Amino acid sequence: MKAAVVLFSVPILGAAMSASSPSRTRAPEVPVCLDRIAQASTSVTYLAQAEASKLLSRAAIQVEWTHGRSCQSGAAIHVHLTVQTPDNLLPGALAFCQPAIRDDIRILYDRVQSTVSPAHEPHLLAYVLVHEIVHILEGEARHSSTGIMKAEWTPEDYAAMASGKLTFTAEDVELVRNGMIDRQASLNAPAHKEHTEPPQSEPAY
Ligand SMILES: [Zn+2]
């Protein structure tokens, strides 16, 4: 996912997050391990995790934020926050992952910080987390023409985030549901990603 432009000031974590969430059969919780780094305060990551959980629940995805030994589970998605991103690393991207190859997400936290004001960091971090987690769960690097899974967010999208109106398309919800079924089958298979070839494709962002 790329960020095209730097933004504006808008209230964060608004009440609009309470939009209806699907009440279908609950899928298993997806364990997600989020790195701690000194540059990301606990309050920022806590708020971002809470907001990301709400957003993901709109697509019937339940995440369990975990750490320590639970991160060793083959089902866990690992989120690495990094800083000092080289300028030539995926210019414009805020994060990237390689769905179908590994369950790791790298968030270029210094770029998140430089894209919005400090007050809005948890909000943007939440959307970046959600975008990348959905890539991993869908198992592919596809993007939608609108919404959370758009390849490149515009200033209008950032404004929609702030008011809680940037959401999933119906297709996103369908694809992630199918992806989670495939993922569960893969996790249950004996050779889960043990013999995967080295990355051959461009990362998704
Ligand atoms: Zn993306």
Side-chain angles (χ1 to χ4, degrees):
M1 180 238 34
K2 289 183 173 183
V5 193
V6 180
L7 335 179
F8 56 89
S9 296
V10 257
I12 278 201
L13 294 172
M17 307 307 294
S18 62
S20 63
S21 55
S23 57
R24 300 180 194 89
T25 309
R26 279 202 156 200
E29 287 191 339
V30 179
V32 181
C33 296
L34 179 66
D35 269 2
R36 300 270 184 238
I37 59 168
Q39 291 83 354
S41 74
T42 306
S43 63
V44 167
T45 52
Y46 178 81
L47 289 169
Q49 286 171 302
E51 186 174 357
S53 293
K54 284 185 192 170
L55 291 166
L56 288 164
S57 73
R58 295 181 183 180
I61 302 165
Q62 311 299 326
V63 292
E64 177 196 9
W65 300 100
T66 187
H67 52 83
R69 194 173 294 176
S70 307
C71 294
Q72 293 167 15
S73 154
I77 295 173
H78 294 255
V79 182
H80 306 282
L81 302 179
T82 59
V83 293
Q84 298 185 316
T85 308
D87 289 344
N88 62 356
L89 177 64
L90 303 172
L94 298 179
F96 62 91
C97 62
Q98 295 182 297
I101 293 175
R102 58 170 60 94
D103 290 347
D104 283 38
I105 291 167
R106 181 166 162 192
I107 293 183
L108 309 172
Y109 192 68
D110 52 336
R111 291 191 186 163
V112 171
Q113 288 182 305
S114 64
T115 299
V116 290
S117 68
H120 299 149
E121 270 177 42
H123 207 50
L124 180 56
L125 181 57
Y127 275 86
V128 173
L129 280 166
V130 168
H131 181 104
E132 300 300 325
I133 288 170
V134 168
H135 272 320
I136 296 285
L137 294 178
E138 286 187 348
E140 57 177 322
R142 66 166 284 285
H143 287 106
S144 295
S145 57
T146 61
I148 293 173
M149 295 312 294
K150 196 172 173 181
E152 199 162 338
W153 291 326
T154 62
E156 291 75 22
D157 294 320
Y158 284 111
M161 279 179 206
S163 59
K165 290 177 181 164
L166 193 73
T167 187
F168 296 108
T169 64
E171 187 183 17
D172 294 330
V173 175
E174 182 68 25
L175 287 170
V176 79
R177 186 185 307 142
N178 293 338
M180 289 174 73
I181 292 168
D182 292 346
R183 176 183 171 81
Q184 198 58 46
S186 164
L187 291 170
N188 292 337
H192 166 58
K193 295 191 179 175
E194 291 291 330
H195 307 291
T196 318
E197 293 296 317
Q200 307 258 330
S201 59
E202 289 297 308
Y205 32 76

